[in-house]
CSV table of all heavy atoms in Angstrom, one decimal:
chain,number,residue,atom,x,y,z
B,121,ARG,N,-70.9,-23.0,-166.1
B,121,ARG,CA,-69.5,-23.2,-166.4
B,121,ARG,C,-68.9,-21.8,-167.0
B,121,ARG,O,-69.7,-21.0,-167.5
B,121,ARG,CB,-69.3,-24.3,-167.5
B,121,ARG,CG,-69.8,-25.6,-167.1
B,121,ARG,CD,-69.3,-26.7,-168.1
B,121,ARG,NE,-69.7,-26.4,-169.5
B,121,ARG,CZ,-70.8,-27.0,-170.0
B,121,ARG,NH1,-71.7,-27.6,-169.2
B,121,ARG,NH2,-71.2,-26.8,-171.1
B,122,CYS,N,-67.7,-21.6,-166.8
B,122,CYS,CA,-67.0,-20.5,-167.3
B,122,CYS,C,-66.1,-20.8,-168.5
B,122,CYS,O,-65.3,-21.7,-168.5
B,122,CYS,CB,-66.2,-19.7,-166.3
B,122,CYS,SG,-65.3,-18.3,-166.9
B,123,LEU,N,-66.3,-20.2,-169.6
B,123,LEU,CA,-65.5,-20.6,-170.8
B,123,LEU,C,-64.0,-20.3,-170.8
B,123,LEU,O,-63.2,-20.8,-171.4
B,123,LEU,CB,-66.2,-19.8,-172.0
B,123,LEU,CG,-67.5,-20.3,-172.6
B,123,LEU,CD1,-68.0,-19.3,-173.6
B,123,LEU,CD2,-67.4,-21.7,-173.1
B,124,ALA,N,-63.7,-19.4,-169.7
B,124,ALA,CA,-62.3,-19.0,-169.6
B,124,ALA,C,-61.6,-20.1,-168.7
B,124,ALA,O,-60.3,-20.0,-168.5
B,124,ALA,CB,-62.1,-17.7,-168.9
B,125,LEU,N,-62.3,-21.0,-168.1
B,125,LEU,CA,-61.8,-22.0,-167.2
B,125,LEU,C,-61.7,-23.3,-167.8
B,125,LEU,O,-62.5,-23.7,-168.5
B,125,LEU,CB,-62.5,-22.0,-165.8
B,125,LEU,CG,-62.6,-20.8,-165.1
B,125,LEU,CD1,-63.5,-21.0,-163.8
B,125,LEU,CD2,-61.2,-20.3,-164.7
B,126,PRO,N,-60.6,-24.2,-167.5
B,126,PRO,CA,-60.6,-25.6,-168.1
B,126,PRO,C,-61.7,-26.4,-167.7
B,126,PRO,O,-62.3,-26.3,-166.5
B,126,PRO,CB,-59.3,-26.1,-167.5
B,126,PRO,CG,-58.5,-24.9,-167.0
B,126,PRO,CD,-59.6,-23.9,-166.6
B,127,ASP,N,-62.3,-27.1,-168.7
B,127,ASP,CA,-63.5,-28.0,-168.4
B,127,ASP,C,-63.6,-29.0,-169.6
B,127,ASP,O,-63.3,-28.6,-170.7
B,127,ASP,CB,-64.8,-27.0,-168.3
B,127,ASP,CG,-65.9,-27.8,-167.4
B,127,ASP,OD1,-65.7,-29.1,-167.2
B,127,ASP,OD2,-66.9,-27.1,-167.0
B,128,VAL,N,-64.0,-30.2,-169.1
B,128,VAL,CA,-64.1,-31.2,-170.1
B,128,VAL,C,-65.3,-32.1,-169.7
B,128,VAL,O,-65.5,-32.2,-168.5
B,128,VAL,CB,-62.9,-32.1,-170.3
B,128,VAL,CG1,-62.4,-32.7,-169.0
B,128,VAL,CG2,-63.0,-33.0,-171.5
B,129,GLY,N,-66.1,-32.6,-170.6
B,129,GLY,CA,-67.2,-33.4,-170.3
B,129,GLY,C,-67.6,-34.4,-171.5
B,129,GLY,O,-67.2,-34.1,-172.7
B,130,VAL,N,-68.3,-35.4,-171.2
B,130,VAL,CA,-68.9,-36.3,-172.2
B,130,VAL,C,-70.4,-36.3,-172.1
B,130,VAL,O,-70.9,-36.3,-171.0
B,130,VAL,CB,-68.3,-37.7,-172.1
B,130,VAL,CG1,-69.0,-38.7,-173.1
B,130,VAL,CG2,-66.8,-37.8,-172.2
B,131,SER,N,-71.1,-36.2,-173.4
B,131,SER,CA,-72.5,-36.1,-173.3
B,131,SER,C,-73.1,-37.0,-174.4
B,131,SER,O,-72.5,-37.3,-175.5
B,131,SER,CB,-72.9,-34.7,-173.6
B,131,SER,OG,-74.3,-34.6,-173.9
B,132,ASN,N,-74.4,-37.6,-174.1
B,132,ASN,CA,-75.1,-38.3,-175.1
B,132,ASN,C,-76.6,-37.7,-175.1
B,132,ASN,O,-77.4,-38.5,-175.3
B,132,ASN,CB,-75.1,-39.7,-174.9
B,132,ASN,CG,-75.6,-40.1,-173.4
B,132,ASN,OD1,-75.9,-39.3,-172.7
B,132,ASN,ND2,-75.6,-41.5,-173.3
B,133,ASP,N,-76.7,-36.4,-174.8
B,133,ASP,CA,-78.0,-35.8,-174.7
B,133,ASP,C,-78.5,-35.4,-176.1
B,133,ASP,O,-77.8,-35.4,-177.1
B,133,ASP,CB,-77.9,-34.6,-173.8
B,133,ASP,CG,-77.6,-34.9,-172.4
B,133,ASP,OD1,-78.4,-35.7,-171.7
B,133,ASP,OD2,-76.5,-34.6,-171.9
B,134,ASP,N,-79.8,-35.2,-176.1
B,134,ASP,CA,-80.5,-34.7,-177.4
B,134,ASP,C,-80.6,-33.3,-177.6
B,134,ASP,O,-80.7,-32.8,-178.8
B,134,ASP,CB,-81.9,-35.4,-177.4
B,134,ASP,CG,-81.9,-36.8,-177.4
B,134,ASP,OD1,-81.7,-37.5,-178.5
B,134,ASP,OD2,-81.8,-37.5,-176.3
B,135,LEU,N,-80.6,-32.5,-176.5
B,135,LEU,CA,-80.8,-31.1,-176.7
B,135,LEU,C,-80.1,-30.3,-175.6
B,135,LEU,O,-80.1,-30.9,-174.4
B,135,LEU,CB,-82.3,-30.8,-176.6
B,135,LEU,CG,-82.9,-29.4,-176.6
B,135,LEU,CD1,-82.5,-28.6,-177.8
B,135,LEU,CD2,-84.4,-29.2,-176.2
Side-chain angles (χ1 to χ4, degrees):
R121 303 191 298 271
C122 179
L123 288 174
L125 300 177
D127 205 346
V128 62
V130 176
S131 168
N132 59 358
D133 296 294
D134 294 270
L135 171 69

